[in-house]
Amino acid sequence: MGLARLPARRGLGCCVLVLLLLLGGSGSPGTPPPPRGPWPQEPGAEPEGAPWGRERYEAVKKHLGAVGALSKQYWRYLACRVWQEGCEEEEKRQEGREAGWSFPLVGQDYLEILSAFYCSFGKCCETGDCRIINNITGLEADLNGQLHGQHLAKEVVVRAVRGFLQSPRPQKALVLSFHGWSGTGKNFVARMVASHLYRDGLKSDCVRVFVSLLHFPHHNYVDSYKAQLHRQISETLQHCRQALLIFDEAEKLHSSLLDAIRPFMAQQDSEDQQRAIFLFLSNLGGNTINEVALDFWRAGRAREEIPLELLEQRLRLELQEAAENSYAHSHLLRENLIDFVVPFLPLEYHHVKLCARDAFLARGIPYKEATLDEVAQMMVFVPKEEKLFSAQGCKSVPQRINYFLP
C-alpha cells in the first residue's frame, strides 16, 4: 500500500466512521437505543455543569478509547475489502475470534451502509445485486452517438429494454432477436446493453455469453451441452435478480438446446421478482433486410424511411420458413417467445467513414477526412453494380487503420 494513498484512505475511513456515529443508535437489531448523550450517567455522578470528577473522567476516557478501537476496526475492514493489500494478518486475527464477532456499537443498519459502500467498489452478487445500474438514458445516448445507420435497432432496443425494466411484474422474460449481416452492429449493441445495465458490463456475473460454435461445437455431445446450459442459466437466475443472457451465432444452435432455454423464457410466476433478458444474435435474414434497403435506395427514398413493420413482417416469414430447415432458434418465433425481431440494416460508405472516425478517436490517433476516405475505400462494397453496402459492415475497420499508423 503506497504512502501516497494513505491520507486519502484515512480520510475516507474517518468519513464513514463519522457517518455511522452521526446516525445514532447501537447494538444489534431489536435492542433498545442507548441513553442520549455520549455515555450513561452513573448513580451519584456530578450534576450538569459541575466540575468533572474522577469517575466522569474515566467514563470519557473509556468511551474515547472505544471510539478509537472502533475506527481502527472499521478501517481495517474497509481496507481489506476494497484494496485487499496486506490483509493476511488481519484475516488470521479474524479466524481466531469468535464466530459471532461483529463491530461494537454497530446495528444492522450500519452494516447495510457498509455493504452498500463496499458494493460501489466490488461485486455483490451474493445479495443478487451484481452492481446493477440500468442506465437507459446513457444507453440511448451512446446508441445515438456510436451506432451508425441503425435507426430501427436503436428505437426497438431502447423502448423494449426500458419498458421491460419499468414493468413492476413482467409476465415473462424479454427476448430480442437481432438479425443482419456481419459487422452491422449486433454484437456492438449487445455489449452496450450489458455495459449500461451493469457496472461490470460483460464481466458481470449476471451476464452470460454463449457462442454456438465455441460452446456447443459437437453434435455428438448435445445432451451434455443441454444439461450444462440448463444448469448455468438456472444458477445465474438464482444468483441474480436481473440476468442478461446473450446467444451469438444463434442460427447454429442445435434444436435440442432449445429445450434447455425455453423454460426460462416462458410465462413466469407473478410473485417471482427475477428478470431475465435474452438476446439472440443471428446473420439469418440479412439478405432479406438488404433487399428492402436496396429497393428503397433504388426508389430514391432514404433508409430512415424504412418502416419497422415492413422489415419485421418479411423477417418473420423468412424465419418461420427457416425453422423447417433446422434453424433451431426460429422455433422460438413460432412459439411466440421472441418479443421483438430487431433488423440491422447494411452499412453504406458514409457509415464506414464514421466507424473509422470512432476507431481513430478510441485510440487517440489524429486523422484527416482524406484518411477516413482511404479507410472506407479499402472495404468491399456490394452489389456488384451499385457497390452500395459494405460486405463486412464495420467489422474490420479497427484493423484497417493500422495501415495509417506512423
Side-chain angles (χ1 to χ4, degrees):
M1 186 180 295
L3 293 177
R5 297 167 63 185
L6 285 176
R9 295 182 185 178
R10 287 175 179 167
L12 182 60
C14 292
C15 290
V16 174
L17 176 61
V18 170
L19 173 63
L20 296 173
L21 293 177
L22 287 176
L23 289 175
S26 64
S28 59
T31 59
R36 303 236 3 133
W39 60 85
Q41 193 167 359
E42 300 292 337
E46 297 83 353
E48 188 174 353
W52 283 15
R54 183 68 182 179
E55 291 182 359
R56 195 172 186 185
Y57 169 78
E58 291 296 336
V60 172
K61 181 179 178 182
K62 181 178 179 181
H63 177 75
L64 293 177
V67 171
L70 175 63
S71 65
K72 290 179 182 179
Q73 288 183 7
Y74 273 125
W75 177 244
R76 285 198 300 266
Y77 177 83
L78 292 174
C80 288
R81 288 297 184 274
V82 176
W83 290 285
Q84 298 180 348
E85 299 176 10
C87 295
E88 295 81 3
E89 295 182 2
E90 176 66 16
E91 292 176 356
K92 291 179 181 179
R93 282 197 294 270
Q94 298 300 337
E95 291 175 358
R97 296 184 180 181
E98 297 179 359
W101 179 87
S102 62
F103 292 129
L105 308 177
V106 179
Q108 186 65 29
D109 291 342
Y110 301 149
L111 294 179
E112 290 177 358
I113 293 173
L114 282 178
S115 176
F117 174 78
Y118 168 59
C119 286
S120 66
F121 291 89
K123 296 181 179 180
C124 295
C125 282
E126 297 81 10
T127 64
D129 179 68
C130 276
R131 306 180 75 190
I132 298 171
I133 54 176
N134 289 346
N135 182 11
I136 304 303
T137 301
L139 173 63
E140 184 175 15
D142 282 352
L143 287 177
N144 286 331
Q146 301 177 38
L147 181 65
H148 307 300
Q150 304 299 351
H151 68 285
L152 294 175
K154 293 176 188 177
E155 180 181 1
V156 175
V157 170
V158 171
R159 287 190 177 184
V161 174
R162 176 187 283 128
F164 179 71
L165 296 179
Q166 289 179 346
S167 174
R169 295 184 183 275
Q171 295 183 346
K172 63 181 292 293
L174 174 64
V175 184
L176 306 181
S177 190
F178 294 176
H179 296 271
W181 268 7
S182 177
T184 52
K186 300 185 299 295
N187 277 280
F188 181 77
V189 172
R191 291 195 303 271
M192 195 168 286
V193 169
S195 66
H196 285 85
L197 297 189
Y198 307 90
R199 288 187 184 176
D200 300 316
L202 291 177
K203 295 181 180 179
S204 171
D205 290 341
C206 290
V207 178
R208 288 295 187 101
V209 180
F210 302 96
V211 183
S212 296
L213 294 183
L214 176 64
H215 293 96
F216 321 113
H218 304 295
H219 287 183
N220 293 337
Y221 303 110
V222 69
D223 290 335
S224 175
Y225 297 150
K226 177 181 173 181
Q228 293 174 12
L229 181 59
H230 186 277
R231 184 182 69 253
Q232 289 174 344
I233 297 177
S234 179
E235 290 175 352
T236 302
L237 292 177
Q238 291 175 4
H239 199 51
C240 308
R241 59 184 173 89
Q242 178 181 298
L244 175 64
L245 301 114
I246 303 171
F247 291 84
D248 198 4
E249 299 177 349
E251 73 275 8
K252 299 181 178 68
L253 279 173
H254 193 281
S255 58
S256 296
L257 295 178
L258 293 182
D259 295 333
I261 305 172
R262 187 182 287 107
F264 302 105
M265 298 181 183
Q267 188 149 346
Q268 61 186 21
D269 185 354
S270 60
E271 298 299 323
D272 191 355
Q273 295 298 312
Q274 293 175 332
R275 297 173 186 265
I277 300 176
F278 288 82
L279 303 182
F280 290 92
L281 284 52
S282 173
N283 293 339
L284 195 66
N287 291 336
T288 296
I289 297 171
N290 294 357
E291 289 173 4
V292 173
L294 185 59
D295 290 341
F296 268 69
W297 180 83
R298 287 172 174 167
R301 302 176 64 182
R303 62 194 283 130
E304 288 74 20
E305 297 180 36
I306 300 175
L308 176 63
E309 295 77 13
L310 173 61
L311 276 177
E312 186 173 19
Q313 182 181 13
R314 296 276 296 269
L315 278 174
R316 285 181 177 272
L317 288 174
E318 179 177 347
L319 295 175
Q320 288 177 0
E321 292 176 0
E324 300 175 358
N325 297 320
S326 77
Y327 289 105
H329 103 281
S330 296
H331 288 280
L332 300 175
L333 192 64
R334 283 187 167 186
E335 299 171 25
N336 296 317
L337 293 176
I338 294 179
D339 299 300
F340 296 93
V341 176
V342 185
F344 283 74
L345 299 169
L347 299 182
E348 300 176 7
Y349 184 88
H350 65 283
H351 300 132
V352 175
K353 288 180 62 177
L354 291 173
C355 292
R357 180 205 63 186
D358 293 347
F360 278 111
L361 291 175
R363 297 177 63 174
I365 303 173
Y367 66 89
K368 297 179 180 179
E369 191 69 20
T371 307
L372 301 183
D373 280 310
E374 289 185 64
V375 174
Q377 290 168 7
M378 296 174 69
M379 308 295 287
V380 177
F381 289 84
V382 295
K384 188 175 181 179
E385 297 78 16
E386 291 88 351
K387 296 188 180 299
L388 181 61
F389 304 133
S390 172
Q392 294 178 288
C394 283
K395 197 164 190 175
S396 63
V397 166
Q399 287 73 34
R400 302 279 180 172
I401 68 173
N402 292 329
Y403 287 95
F404 301 92
L405 298 181

